[in-house]
Amino acid sequence: MDHKKRRDAGMAYISDQKIMEEQAVCRKILQRFNFADRSDFDGLAAIVKELLGKSEDAFINPPFFCDYGKHIEAGKNFFANYNCTIIDVARVTIGDNCMLAPNVAIYTAGHPLHPVSRNSLYEYGIPVTIGDNVWIGGNSVILPGVTIGSNVVIGAGSVVSRDIPDWSLAVGNPCRVIRTITEADKKYYFKDREFDEEAWEQILEMEKG
């Protein structure tokens, strides 16, 4: 079995010439993206569409870094802020209406623990899955194999090494669930600050669809 097939089957593999050729295609797209006119929002969005394996109305603020791009599947209205890194050796699946703050890193790749095995150049990729309506705070790291449920907020600076259930506010290193997000949270935009009447009416209208 060649190493591309091993990689895609979730087996240990080596980044040989064929794999590096795939990465070279991605890097050429990233070169255009990361050095494009930052005020050309339509142009940037078009390159994002070209780069990602699947997306709908996605936008990323450059710079952005990934290995393949084609292994990233993002739902509707995906947004990633400055300096996001997604190491997409394995598939990264992101739901609708998800936001990544600056300096978020999502890693599917890893290396063996023992130095003899690690020095063999074998590595691996384990998929990461993120549900709908997720906000991941700045400088957070998502590790290989993690599943984050829907309607989750990950606090800034977190290292997510285990699964996070739906409707959770989670933070820390290692990231832990602090509490459940409830209907009572809807009327606040920051801590104890409530939306004004005009904004609140717009939110309720949007909720009705």
Side-chain angles (χ1 to χ4, degrees), residues 81-82 99-105 135-141 154-158:
N81 219 325
Y82 306 107
M99 301 187 298
L100 309 183
N103 301 307
V104 167
W135 175 24
I136 299 177
N139 295 294
S140 293
V141 179
I154 303 295
S158 295

Side-chain angles (χ1 to χ4, degrees), residues 4 7 14-29 67-68 70:
K4 286 174 62 175
R7 177 199 66 196
I14 293 174
S15 290
D16 61 9
Q17 182 177 350
K18 290 183 178 179
I19 286 175
M20 297 309 295
E21 287 172 356
E22 283 190 324
Q23 291 192 15
V25 172
C26 177
R27 292 187 184 199
K28 288 179 180 178
I29 300 173
D67 276 345
Y68 301 94
K70 65 181 182 179

Side-chain angles (χ1 to χ4, degrees), residues 36-119:
D37 181 352
R38 304 295 173 90
S39 66
D40 183 7
F41 299 117
D42 290 341
L44 291 172
I47 300 175
V48 170
K49 186 73 173 179
E50 177 186 356
L51 177 66
L52 301 186
K54 179 183 176 183
S55 66
E56 186 174 345
D57 297 323
F59 190 81
I60 298 173
N61 270 326
F64 173 72
F65 308 97
C66 61
D67 276 345
Y68 301 94
K70 65 181 182 179
H71 295 163
I72 302 169
E73 295 188 1
K76 299 176 183 177
N77 306 317
F78 171 67
F79 173 71
N81 219 325
Y82 306 107
N83 207 39
C84 177
T85 299
I86 301 179
I87 305 300
D88 59 325
V89 168
R91 192 157 303 281
V92 176
T93 305
I94 302 171
D96 295 341
N97 306 311
C98 289
M99 301 187 298
L100 309 183
N103 301 307
V104 167
I106 300 174
Y107 302 147
T108 67
H111 303 271
L113 183 65
H114 195 284
V116 171
S117 302
R118 189 166 59 250
N119 292 340

